[in-house]
Amino acid sequence: IVSMELPDDIDVVVHVAATSPAEGVLVQDMVRDNVCATRRLVDHALRIGARRFVFFSSLSAFGSPDVSVIDESTPAVNPAPYGTTKLLCEAMLAEAAARLPSISIRLPGILGPGSHRNWVSTLFAGAVAGNEIQYSNPDALHNNEVHVLDLAHFVSRLVTQSWKGAEIVTVGAAGSTTIRWIVETIVARTGGRSPIVVTEPGRRPFTVSSEKAMRLFGYEPMSIEDVIWRFLAENLAP
């Protein structure tokens, strides 16, 4: 962990940094950057008496649950190392909850200008290049994306609120649409050069419930269709 002085005049910590899985990234890298760095931030927030802690967690913390809709009550099933690091960070915040109320946002793919390393962004890059697009479960419902503007607005609301304990919320886009619609819309909008191949079904698809985040904390997501259209408009050359 890089040694640096953290400021003392902090009211709310919003922790968005993390190392996620990628070629060349080791488990020890994710433990160092995700778990150890978060431990340092939590300790610092406790020392200076920060009022709240907002943590960007991930749906990866759930692992591979066999459910059609994920929400905060869904148990974790065999999470991979990255998801495990997020669970450990949430556990740290739960231990500190009496002195440092926190909210952990279990995020799906984040879309916006230049976004990458999520399904829709990877699909878009492949379609722009005219590569063959392979996907499964065409008629399954999907809303497992959040636009960066919706996320920014949500965090802006959170830093003005008060709550007790260590809360966890799941978030996604409003409504749902089919995986087929997303694939065909992105391929068509990028020029329609990519062959589309539907493969055998893989992992059971799921949607995300944002009900708790909306009801208790004022989360106001745009629809999944609007998220996709906005993402396309932001990332296609004029």
Side-chain angles (χ1 to χ4, degrees):
I1 301 173
V2 177
S3 178
M4 60 178 291
E5 290 298 320
L6 296 171
D8 289 344
D9 55 342
I10 298 174
D11 187 38
V12 179
V13 175
V14 181
H15 180 21
V16 307
T19 293
S20 55
E23 185 176 355
V25 173
L26 304 177
V27 172
Q28 66 188 37
D29 299 326
M30 291 187 284
V31 171
R32 178 194 65 225
D33 298 344
N34 301 350
V35 181
C36 298
T38 300
R39 176 74 268 168
R40 183 166 184 246
L41 273 177
V42 171
D43 288 345
H44 183 73
L46 289 168
R47 182 178 66 80
I48 64 173
R51 182 173 60 85
R52 296 287 182 270
F53 197 109
V54 179
F55 175 58
F56 278 24
S57 187
S58 170
L59 293 182
S60 297
F62 288 110
S64 303
D66 187 22
V67 296
S68 59
V69 180
I70 276 182
D71 65 15
E72 298 79 9
S73 68
T74 304
V77 178
N78 299 322
Y82 175 70
T84 300
T85 67
K86 292 297 186 179
L87 287 172
L88 289 170
C89 293
E90 292 176 3
M92 289 180 203
L93 290 167
E95 288 180 344
R99 295 174 53 200
L100 181 65
S102 65
I103 185 165
S104 296
I105 309 171
R106 290 193 176 178
L107 290 162
I110 302 175
L111 299 182
S115 59
H116 60 286
R117 289 169 72 173
N118 57 62
W119 175 63
V120 169
S121 298
T122 301
L123 168 64
F124 172 79
V128 168
N131 298 337
E132 180 179 274
I133 303 298
Q134 296 187 8
Y135 78 106
S136 61
N137 304 302
D139 297 317
L141 296 178
H142 184 88
N143 72 341
N144 313 355
E145 318 294 338
V146 60
H147 193 276
V148 67
L149 281 179
D150 284 345
L151 184 56
H153 291 156
F154 184 38
V155 172
S156 295
R157 285 175 178 263
L158 289 174
V159 298
T160 66
Q161 297 178 26
S162 295
W163 67 88
K164 295 181 180 180
E167 294 283 357
I168 294 174
V169 296
T170 55
V171 299
S176 61
T177 190
T178 64
I179 294 175
R180 184 195 308 274
W181 182 87
I182 295 173
V183 172
E184 293 182 351
T185 297
I186 290 176
V187 170
R189 188 65 181 84
T190 53
R193 296 181 297 119
S194 292
I196 299 175
V197 177
V198 178
T199 62
E200 291 296 319
R203 175 181 168 184
R204 180 180 180 181
F206 60 84
T207 58
V208 182
S209 171
S210 303
E211 191 276 333
K212 178 180 176 181
M214 296 169 68
R215 175 172 50 87
L216 296 182
F217 298 103
Y219 177 55
E220 296 181 339
M222 63 182 80
S223 71
I224 182 61
E225 294 90 349
D226 285 345
V227 169
I228 297 300
W229 286 122
R230 182 159 194 145
F231 165 79
L232 288 169
E234 291 166 335
N235 288 281
L236 285 170

